[in-house]
Amino acid sequence: MFSNIRWRIAIPYVILILAAMGGLTLYLSRLARDTQLADLEANLLIGARAVAESAVPLLANPEGDALDALAREWSALLEARVTIIAPDGTVLGESHEDRSQMDNHLTRPEVQQALAGGQGSSIRYSETVNYDMMYVAVPVTTAGGERLGVVRVALPLDQIEENVSRLRQTIFTATLLTAMLAAMIAIAIAERTARPVRRLTELARRMAAGDLDARLYRAGRDEVGELARAFNHMADQLRDQVQDLVTERGRLAAVLENMADGVIITDDVGRVRLINPAAARLLSVGPADSAGRSFAEVARHHHLIELWQQGCSQGQERVATVELDRQGTFIQMIVTPLTSAGVQTCLVILQDLTRIRRLETVRRDFISNISHELRTPLASLKAVVETLRDSALDDPPAARRFLDRADQEVDALTQMVQELLELSRIESGKVPLRLSPTAVASVVAPPVERLQTQAERNSLRLVAELPAGLPLVLVDADRVQQVVANLVHNAIKFTPDGGEIRVTAEWQPGQPEVVVQVRDTGVGIPAGELERIFERFYKSDRARSGGGTGLGLAIARHLVQAHGGRIWAKSREGKGSTFYFSLPVADGTGQGDS
Ligand code: ADP
C-alpha cells in the first residue's frame, strides 16, 4: 500500500514536519520554563530581601517565637514558604513547618551560596509537597556589615510545570494539525503527480493488449506532459510499424498461400513450423495438423527425409528429384539450411515436376512416334522403288502394282502430315469456328452416310438413331462432322466383321448440352489405356499393326473442347467401346430436330 508514489511523497513530508515540530516543542517548552524560573527567582529574591531587612532587629536579639511569627507574616504576603536561619544553620523562624522538628540547614546549597556570595538559589524535590521547589536565600546583614543569618523563601514549581505542560500540549496539538494538513497537501500533490503516470501505465497496458490507437490526451506543459507527448509519438510510430509489419506479413502469407511451390520450414529439433497449402497438397497432409509435427511424420517418404536430414545437418543446400510412389508424382526438393539468431532452421521447397515430366514424356513419345510413323511408309516406299529399279520395270503389270503401292504410301504420308498440320493449327487456336445453331442430325448423318460403304465392306451394321425432340446445338457443323467421322472410322477399324456400330444422342430437358455416342461391338480398349487414347500419336499395340496415325482422337478432343464440350470413352475389352462427346445447346432456339 505504501509503495505507491502518493505515499512515497506524503510520508517523508509528514515525518519532516513531525520532526521539525517536535524539536520546536522541546525548544519552546524549555525556553518557557527557563524564562518562568528566572522570573520566579527574581521575584523570590525581592521578597527574600524584604524579609531580610525586616528580620534584622529580631535577629539581633532573637526572642521566643517572634521570628516564626515574622516568617508566617511574610509567607502570607508573598504566598511562599519563608524560613529564617541562623549563621550556624539553626532554623530560627519557619512559616510552614514545626521548627523544632527541622534539622540544621547549613548544608543546603542555597544557604551556602547566600553565606558565601550574597544570594543563592536551588531547585529540589520536596518530600513535603511532592513537587520540585525553588529555594532562594539571601543573607541578613546589619548596617555595620555583621552577618546575622539567612532568609530563605521557597515556592513549589507545580504552577510552572503546569504552564509548561499546557504550552507543550498546545504546541503538540498544533503540530498534529499541521502534520495532518501537510499530509493532506502532500497526498494531493502526490496524487496530481501520480495521475498522469497512472494514465501512462494504463495506456501502456492497453497498447500491450493490442489497442494501438490508444493515446493520452490533456498533456500539460511539465515534464510529465513531455513524457506523455513522447509516449504518444512513440505509439504513433509503433502503430505505423506494426501496420507495416502486418501488411508485409499479409503479403508474405498471401504469396505462401497461393504459390505453386510447396514451402516448409522446420525448427532446430526438426518440427514443422510452417507449411503452405501447396506443400500440404503435394505431401497429401492437412496443413493444420502438420504444424508442430516432425518433418518425418509429415513427409512420410524416406528419400525426402534423408535429403532433409543431409541438408539440415551438413549445413549445405541439397537439391534432388524424388518420385513419390504414392501418386506417381515427381517432386524437386531443395533443402536450404538457415541460421538466424544462432538457431538452425531449415527451408524446404517442393516443386511439382509431374506436369513437366509428363510433357517431356509426351514430347519424347511424340518424336519417337513420328519417327516410327514416318519410317514405315518411307521404308515401304524405298522397297517399292528398289524393286522397280531392279526388275519390276520390265514387267509393266507388276510395275503398275508397285506404283499403286507407292501411291498409297505417299497418300498415307500426306494424310499424316495433313493431320499433324491440322492438329497443330487447332492446338494453336488458328482454326476459327463458324458457330451456328445446327440440328444434331445435320452433324451426325453426313459422316455416317459417307462411311456406310466402308462399313458394309467390313460386314458391319452402321446405324444412326437420334431420338425425337433434340434441341439445336451451337456448333461449327463441318468440324463436328469431322469428329463424328473420326469416331465412326475408328469404330469400323476396331470392330471385327459382323459387328454393329450405333450412333445416338441424348438430351435431358433443361440440360445445357447434348451428348452424342458412338458405340461399337469391337475389340475394346484396356482400362489402363482409356486415359491415354486422346494423346497425340497414342495407339494401342494392337492398333499399331494396322493403319492410322494415332492423331484422330487428339484432333477430335481439341475440336470438342473448342466448342466448350467434353469427350470421353468407356470400354470393356473384347466387348466393345463407346465414345461420348457433348455439344452445347443453342440458347432460345427451340426444338429443331426430328
Ligand atoms: P488412329 O489413327 O490410330 O485411329 P486415334 O487417335 O483415332 O488414332 O486412336 C488412338 C487409339 O485409340 C487407337 O490406336 C486405338 O488403340 C484406340 N481406339 C480408338 N477408337 C477405338 C475403338 N472404337 N475401339 C478400340 N480402340 C480404339
Side-chain angles (χ1 to χ4, degrees):
M1 173 195 172
F2 294 112
S3 63
N4 68 30
I5 196 165
R6 190 192 316 170
W7 292 109
R8 286 226 303 273
I9 293 179
I11 288 171
Y13 261 97
V14 173
I15 290 173
L16 197 70
I17 285 166
L18 284 176
M21 293 301 272
L24 195 69
T25 312
L26 273 179
Y27 173 73
L28 284 179
S29 50
R30 183 151 301 164
L31 188 72
R33 190 169 187 271
D34 288 353
T35 314
Q36 289 197 17
L37 286 177
D39 282 357
L40 185 70
E41 192 181 335
N43 287 339
L44 288 178
L45 209 55
I46 293 167
R49 288 219 172 92
V51 176
E53 250 172 61
S54 66
V56 173
L58 283 178
L59 271 175
N61 299 299
E63 228 177 67
D65 294 336
L67 281 166
D68 280 333
L70 183 72
R72 277 197 287 274
E73 223 172 280
W74 278 104
S75 169
L77 260 174
L78 297 173
E79 292 179 353
R81 179 178 165 198
V82 176
T83 313
I84 301 165
I85 303 156
D88 63 355
T90 314
V91 178
L92 300 174
E94 164 61 43
S95 59
H96 283 62
E97 301 287 323
D98 179 3
R99 182 162 52 89
S100 58
Q101 302 295 316
M102 291 169 72
D103 56 353
N104 188 296
H105 270 43
L106 193 61
T107 52
R108 302 292 194 270
E110 66 279 2
V111 175
Q112 288 285 324
Q113 286 164 22
L115 287 174
Q119 68 182 57
S121 71
S122 163
I123 293 170
R124 282 197 310 279
Y125 185 73
S126 160
E127 298 285 349
T128 328
V129 287
N130 289 338
Y131 269 116
D132 278 347
M133 297 278 287
M134 177 179 266
Y135 300 91
V136 172
V138 290
V140 182
T141 322
T142 60
E146 187 193 350
R147 188 152 292 174
L148 298 175
V150 172
V151 167
R152 189 183 76 170
V153 182
L155 257 185
L157 295 184
D158 58 343
Q159 190 60 45
I160 289 176
E161 293 299 349
E162 204 172 297
N163 287 349
V164 169
S165 119
R166 207 174 302 131
L167 180 74
R168 214 180 275 140
Q169 248 172 24
T170 311
I171 295 174
F172 181 73
T173 313
T175 305
L176 214 66
L177 286 174
T178 315
M180 275 165 64
L181 196 68
M184 275 154 65
I185 291 171
I187 287 171
I189 292 171
E191 178 63 26
R192 235 178 106 83
T193 316
R195 201 176 305 142
V197 177
R198 265 208 307 275
R199 278 207 214 114
L200 273 173
T201 314
E202 174 63 17
L203 186 70
R205 272 204 199 107
R206 277 171 61 193
M207 286 180 65
D211 181 5
L212 293 178
D213 290 321
R215 293 290 179 279
L216 207 81
Y217 300 103
R218 284 182 310 186
R221 291 173 168 278
D222 56 4
E223 288 87 342
V224 181
E226 276 293 304
L227 178 63
R229 271 188 290 278
F231 202 91
N232 282 348
H233 182 62
M234 184 196 76
D236 286 345
Q237 302 264 320
L238 200 66
R239 186 191 49 200
D240 291 352
Q241 282 176 7
V242 168
Q243 259 162 12
D244 286 354
L245 278 176
V246 167
T247 317
E248 199 58 33
R249 210 179 141 163
R251 262 190 225 130
L252 273 176
V255 169
L256 274 176
E257 197 81 358
N258 296 303
M259 69 191 286
D261 289 348
V263 176
I264 298 175
I265 293 179
T266 56
D267 63 13
D268 51 341
V269 290
R271 268 195 300 266
V272 172
R273 285 279 148 239
L274 182 146
I275 178 165
N276 75 341
R281 207 169 40 246
L282 283 172
L283 298 174
S284 312
V285 290
D289 40 73
S290 303
R293 285 163 65 191
S294 74
F295 181 81
E297 273 180 289
V298 175
R300 309 188 315 282
H301 191 283
H302 67 283
H303 274 147
L304 297 182
I305 299 167
E306 259 170 39
L307 202 69
W308 166 77
Q309 275 170 342
Q310 286 169 5
C312 294
S313 59
Q314 292 168 12
Q316 263 185 356
E317 188 176 287
R318 292 271 158 164
V319 184
T321 306
V322 177
E323 184 181 2
L324 296 186
D325 23 46
R326 285 193 281 280
Q327 310 98 343
T329 314
F330 278 96
I331 288 184
Q332 167 151 287
M333 177 170 172
I334 306 166
V335 184
T336 314
L338 306 170
T339 310
S340 69
V343 181
Q344 169 92 43
T345 55
C346 254
L347 169 70
V348 178
I349 294 189
L350 302 174
Q351 291 168 331
D352 188 357
L353 299 184
T354 315
R355 215 175 102 79
I356 295 172
R357 280 286 176 116
R358 202 168 286 156
L359 285 177
E360 268 173 19
T361 315
V362 169
R363 194 176 55 88
R364 232 184 358 253
D365 287 357
F366 178 76
I367 292 170
S368 112
N369 285 335
I370 201 162
S371 323
H372 184 79
E373 296 303 329
L374 286 173
R375 202 167 46 217
T376 318
L378 284 176
S380 166
L381 263 180
K382 176 130 179 94
V384 168
V385 170
E386 276 173 1
T387 318
L388 273 175
R389 191 184 54 202
D390 291 348
S391 58
L393 275 178
D394 304 331
D395 178 359
R400 193 166 297 114
R401 267 201 327 276
F402 280 114
L403 281 178
D404 286 346
R405 270 286 302 282
D407 194 36
Q408 280 169 10
E409 296 298 345
V410 171
D411 279 352
L413 274 174
T414 315
Q415 193 203 341
M416 189 166 77
V417 172
Q418 269 173 352
E419 283 185 1
L420 264 177
L421 276 175
E422 169 110 357
L423 183 65
S424 112
R425 280 171 60 221
I426 297 169
E427 276 185 340
S428 55
K430 283 186 189 146
V431 178
L433 293 181
R434 283 186 294 275
L435 298 177
S436 61
T438 312
V440 177
S442 323
V443 291
V444 168
V448 169
E449 262 166 43
R450 259 200 328 271
L451 290 164
Q452 200 58 257
T453 336
Q454 198 182 338
E456 279 164 15
R457 213 183 300 140
N458 290 357
S459 315
L460 298 171
R461 206 169 99 82
L462 170 61
V463 282
E465 265 180 6
L466 298 180
L470 287 177
L472 297 182
V473 285
L474 188 66
V475 294
D476 181 329
D478 288 346
R479 295 292 170 186
V480 179
Q481 283 179 16
Q482 204 180 333
V483 174
V484 176
N486 186 283
L487 295 179
V488 174
H489 191 248
N490 276 349
I492 293 171
K493 264 198 303 186
F494 295 105
T495 307
D497 291 1
E500 187 189 80
I501 299 158
R502 186 174 287 271
V503 184
T504 56
E506 252 184 41
W507 177 69
Q508 303 294 330
Q511 288 294 309
E513 54 185 23
V514 172
V515 175
V516 179
Q517 295 179 17
V518 179
R519 183 189 300 262
D520 64 49
T521 54
V523 295
I525 306 161
E529 293 184 14
L530 263 181
E531 284 248 317
R532 303 201 57 196
I533 53 172
F534 294 98
E535 287 173 12
R536 283 179 300 186
F537 286 116
Y538 188 82
K539 293 206 272 181
S540 70
D541 291 339
R542 203 172 0 202
R544 269 187 202 287
S545 48
T549 56
L551 295 171
L553 285 180
I555 294 174
R557 187 186 65 171
H558 277 288
L559 285 174
V560 170
Q561 285 177 348
H563 282 88
R566 301 164 293 133
I567 185 165
W568 69 100
K570 289 179 183 170
S571 181
R572 278 175 67 195
E573 248 188 305
K575 297 276 178 200
S577 318
T578 309
F579 282 78
Y580 304 83
F581 68 92
S582 65
L583 296 171
V585 169
D587 282 337
T589 51
Q591 296 179 348
D593 215 339
S594 60

